[in-house]
């Protein structure tokens, strides 16, 4: 079941269209990656989900019904542009933000103590925000975002400003939250973390959604039936004996190992390749090359850009 | 509603706890008290003897003005015009003219002077005159009562019926004999004071709202907050919170200033009463009248008299106080609300305080204009310019406050209030539209054209 869905969302600003009939559906308990280059419209979409701005067209659904204003109390949002009042005390400020989310004061204190303890922030409770390091401020913001135990969490570039240790801490927390049944929308440029965390993605470019679905399904559609082969005992070119349809794209040497990349025809299988190779070389290792999300991202975005450029040229 | 209260609470508490707020709260009253006390103190230092010539056509006041160390009275028996022509050459510093009048209507007394009349002199004259008139009235009343035994009048009734407030207009005579009317000082001072106070508070706390919005924008907390509350709630919460800070500061100023002035004048007054005013005034009471002692005390407290504040008190009594205070609070509050919304809109449109200049101009022009025009308004508080400026919402908070002490028809005040409320609703709606777009815009130089576009965005 989808926890959240957006249907044909369009948002027009005076000079440009920020979103053009974008639809996404976020399955319950998934981690959903919202990807796209800068200025694609991700933040606009997220702001629409948070009811910060209203769409011109389109509907939003939450937990199987239309999204209503009170639903923002079930949504947690960590914006990309985030900060805290610098002159205010850390604890007092966290309490204030928690109460704005509708938690009563006593509950808020209890939960904050728990999370501050967990993130080793308790000694800083009575300090001013400006005395905290940037990483600590980010932790406070993260705590405030999840404190009201939302059903849906939206993180916009959550890892910016964290050191690697804290990035790991945060990732663990995110996975922990997912286990507890929270659905997470996750907007980022960091493709490695997408592969690591996300089950589903949607790719937005130039106000339009150009790709979406399950991460594994997408990778399957983008793979080219290529394999990376480590071998010894043959220093010639593999294409000398391979059938012409088996294309050798790359050759390199590491520690007396040869490494080749071979693309085989769509109807062929790995077994066919191995059968061809066995009489000639000693195989050390072989694995399928699965396109990284990074590659897919760059490829689809540049494709769309070049096609729109050529379209533009045609229209001229 | 609960959330907006949370926001108001935060805005209020963070500001009230600031060191600058505490410093201002202490310095303000010291300054204001100094303004009140210093002239009084200087008056105690002056040893110059002033002579006042008196032409008393009524004959009620002959020999009633007693000489003191600083004031001497001389009674003339010429008519006004010859006295005036002789006045500039005479050594007298002022000429008091009391025309023949009915006892019930003691009015028309004029004080001609060569320079600004000392407030002590004028205060003393007024006190003596009203006291004398009251005594005369009381005698008449008692005669009446003896003739008419049926009338059941309580002491209070009598006291009320004889209570008299004397108006003396002041005319300054120049070296060449030119006459220049001076304006009723107390109304002027009160009007100016009220107007300037509102002007000052709107600027001070309006720009605090603006800085608060800029702070939220530059610290990037704004998007965190508006994922929980509506931009409008955040804006109004801030405006109301800062407004309450202003009100708190104002009330603290009033309380502290009153405290300081009271303490300072009571220490000065012993010095004053022995010097500036004749002892007889205090002792001179008619022992034959049963209630004389009480009403004398009630009407002329010797101490107030000694402070030379009687004139001020008299004038204050003549002003409709509930209207004055009520309308001050109203114009103070709504004037602030109207401008604060505009200040908030500016704060939302810029990235730093340095960028506010271009947008500040349209806001400061009406405010500064009403401030600059104040001196003309005071000379003609019932004129057409004064009327229109006190109706137009952007200038009305300052101008109406200047006009009210001079006496303004109620329908003017109500009309002005009505327009001010409309103006407040208008600017708030306008500001809210700019605000909700502006707070989410970073790193963009905004022009008026851009603001116009924001106004047209659908929510």
């Amino acid at each position: 079941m989808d926890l959240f869905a957006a249907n044909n969302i369009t948002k027009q600003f005076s000079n440009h269209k920020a979103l053009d009939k974008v639809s996404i559906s976020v399955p319950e308990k998934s981690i959903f990656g919202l990807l796209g280059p800068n200025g694609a419209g991700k933040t606009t979409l997220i702001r629409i989900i948070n009811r910060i701005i209203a769409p011109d067209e389109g509907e939003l659904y939450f937990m199987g019904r239309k999204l209503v204003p009170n639903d923002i109390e079930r949504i947690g949002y960590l914006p990309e542009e985030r900060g805290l009042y610098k002159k205010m005390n850390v604890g007092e400020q966290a309490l204030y933000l928690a109460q704005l989310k509708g938690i009563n004061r006593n509950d808020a204190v209890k939960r904050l103590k728990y999370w501050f303890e967990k993130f080793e922030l308790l000694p800083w409770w009575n300090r001013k925000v400006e005395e905290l390091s940037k990483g600590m401020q980010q932790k406070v913001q993260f705590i405030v975002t999840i404190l009201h135990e939302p059903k849906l969490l939206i993180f916009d570039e959550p890892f910016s400003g964290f050191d690697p240790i804290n990035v790991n801490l945060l990732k663990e927390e995110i996975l922990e939250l997912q286990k507890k049944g929270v659905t997470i929308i996750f907007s980022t440029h960091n493709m490695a973390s997408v592969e690591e965390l996300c089950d589903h993605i949607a790719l937005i470019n130039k106000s339009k959604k150009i790709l979406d679905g399950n991460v594994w399904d997408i990778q399957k559609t983008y793979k080219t039936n290529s394999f990376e082969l480590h071998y010894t005992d043959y220093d010639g070119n593999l294409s000398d004996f391979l059938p012409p349809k088996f294309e050798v794209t790359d050759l390199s040497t590491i520690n007396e190992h040869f490494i080749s990349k071979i693309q085989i025809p769509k109807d062929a299988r790995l077994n066919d390749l191995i059968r061809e190779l066995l009489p000639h070389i000693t195989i050390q290792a072989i694995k399928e090359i699965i396109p990284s999300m990074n590659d897919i991202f760059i490829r689809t975005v540049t494709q769309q850009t070049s096609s729109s450029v050529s379209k533009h040229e045609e229209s001229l | 509603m609960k959330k907006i209260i949370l926001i108001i609470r935060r805005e209020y508490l963070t500001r009230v706890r600031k060191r600058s707020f505490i410093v201002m709260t202490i310095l303000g009253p010291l300054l204001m008290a100094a303004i009140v006390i210093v002239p009084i103190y200087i008056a105690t230092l002056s040893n110059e003897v002033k002579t006042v010539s008196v032409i008393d056509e009524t004959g009620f006041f002959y020999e009633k003005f007693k000489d003191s160390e600083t004031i001497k009275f001389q009674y003339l028996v010429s008519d006004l015009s010859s006295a005036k022509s002789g006045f500039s050459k005479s050594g007298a510093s002022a000429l008091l003219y009391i025309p023949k009048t009915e006892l019930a209507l003691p009015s028309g007394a004029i004080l001609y002077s060569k320079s600004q009349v000392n407030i002590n002199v004028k205060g003393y004259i007024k006190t003596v005159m009203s006291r004398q008139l009251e005594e005369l009235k009381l005698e008449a009343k008692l005669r009446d009562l003896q003739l008419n035994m049926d009338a059941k009048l309580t002491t209070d009734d009598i006291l009320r019926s004889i209570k008299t407030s004397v108006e003396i207009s002041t005319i300054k005579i120049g070296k060449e004999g030119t006459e220049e009317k001076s304006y009723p000082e107390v109304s002027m001072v009160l009007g100016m004071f009220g107007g300037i106070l509102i002007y000052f508070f709107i600027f001070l706390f309006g720009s605090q709202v603006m800085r608060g919005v800029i702070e939220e924008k530059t610290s990037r907390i704004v998007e965190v907050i508006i994922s929980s509350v509506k931009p409008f709630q955040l804006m109004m919460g801030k405006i109301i919170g800062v407004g309450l800070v202003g009100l708190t500061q104002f009330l603290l100023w009033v309380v502290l200033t009153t405290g300081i002035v009271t303490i300072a004048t009571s220490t000065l007054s012993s010095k004053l009463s022995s010097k500036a005013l004749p002892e007889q005034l205090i002792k001179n009471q008619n022992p034959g009248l049963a209630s004389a002692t009480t009403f004398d005390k009630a009407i002329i407290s010797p101490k107030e008299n000694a402070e030379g504040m009687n004139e001020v008190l008299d004038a204050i009594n003549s002003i409709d106080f509930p209207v004055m205070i009520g309308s001050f609070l109203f114009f103070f509050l709504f004037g602030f609300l109207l401008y604060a919304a505009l200040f908030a809109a500016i704060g939302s449109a810029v990235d730093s305080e340095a960028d506010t200049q271009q947008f500040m101009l349209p806001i400061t022009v009406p405010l500064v204009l009403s401030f600059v025009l104040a001196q003309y308004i005071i000379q003609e508080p019932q004129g057409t310019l004064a009327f229109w400026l006190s109706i137009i919402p952007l200038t009305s908070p300052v101008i109406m406050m200047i006009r009210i002490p001079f006496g303004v028809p109620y329908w003017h005040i109500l009309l002005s209030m009505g327009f001010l409320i409309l103006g407040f609703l208008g600017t708030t709606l306008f500001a809210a539209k700019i605000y909700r777009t502006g707070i989410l815009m970073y790193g963009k130089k905004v022009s008026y054209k851009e603001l116009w576009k924001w106004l047209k965005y659908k929510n």
Side-chain angles (χ1 to χ4, degrees), chain A residues 14-15 47 52 54 56 72-73 77 79 81-86 88 92-93 96 99-101, chain B residues 3 6-7 10 17 215-216 219-221 223-229 440 442 453 457-459:
Chain A
S14 51
N15 325 336
R47 282 175 180 172
I52 289 171
D56 297 338
I72 53 166
E73 293 190 354
Y77 174 38
E81 298 281 5
R82 52 185 176 251
L84 297 164
Y85 290 113
K86 292 198 169 51
M88 212 174 160
E92 200 185 335
Q93 179 152 204
Y96 170 64
Q99 283 175 286
L100 281 185
K101 275 286 182 194
Chain B
K3 289 181 180 175
L6 278 171
I7 296 170
R10 193 204 83 86
R17 284 191 214 138
E215 183 207 354
E216 274 166 3
S219 72
R220 301 287 195 259
I221 195 175
E223 200 164 343
V224 177
I225 293 176
I226 58 166
S227 64
S228 320
V229 300
L440 295 173
Y442 302 116
K453 280 183 198 154
Y457 282 159
K458 213 180 103 189
N459 176 29

Side-chain angles (χ1 to χ4, degrees), chain B residues 221-324:
Chain B
I221 195 175
V222 66
E223 200 164 343
V224 177
I225 293 176
I226 58 166
S227 64
S228 320
V229 300
K230 288 204 175 68
F232 184 73
Q233 289 175 308
L234 180 58
M235 185 180 96
M236 282 318 286
K238 183 172 288 294
I239 290 174
I240 295 170
V242 174
L244 289 178
V245 174
L247 217 56
T248 309
Q249 180 132 70
F250 174 70
L251 292 177
L252 283 174
W253 278 3
V254 169
V255 171
L256 288 175
T257 308
T258 317
I260 295 171
V261 169
T262 313
I263 293 166
T265 47
S266 63
T267 42
L268 280 176
S269 65
S270 50
K271 208 171 158 192
L272 268 164
S273 57
S274 63
K275 207 168 178 183
L277 293 158
E279 290 290 317
Q280 293 97 308
L281 180 72
I282 299 156
K283 290 177 197 152
N284 184 15
Q285 287 171 1
N286 193 335
L289 294 169
S291 60
T293 324
T294 43
F295 93 78
D296 259 353
K297 265 188 196 148
I299 295 163
I300 323 154
S301 146
K303 204 177 118 201
E304 283 166 352
N305 198 358
E307 285 160 20
M309 295 296 279
N310 223 27
E311 183 192 32
V312 179
L313 292 176
D314 269 357
I316 286 174
N317 283 338
S318 73
I319 284 163
D320 196 343
F321 242 162
V323 171
M324 176 87 192

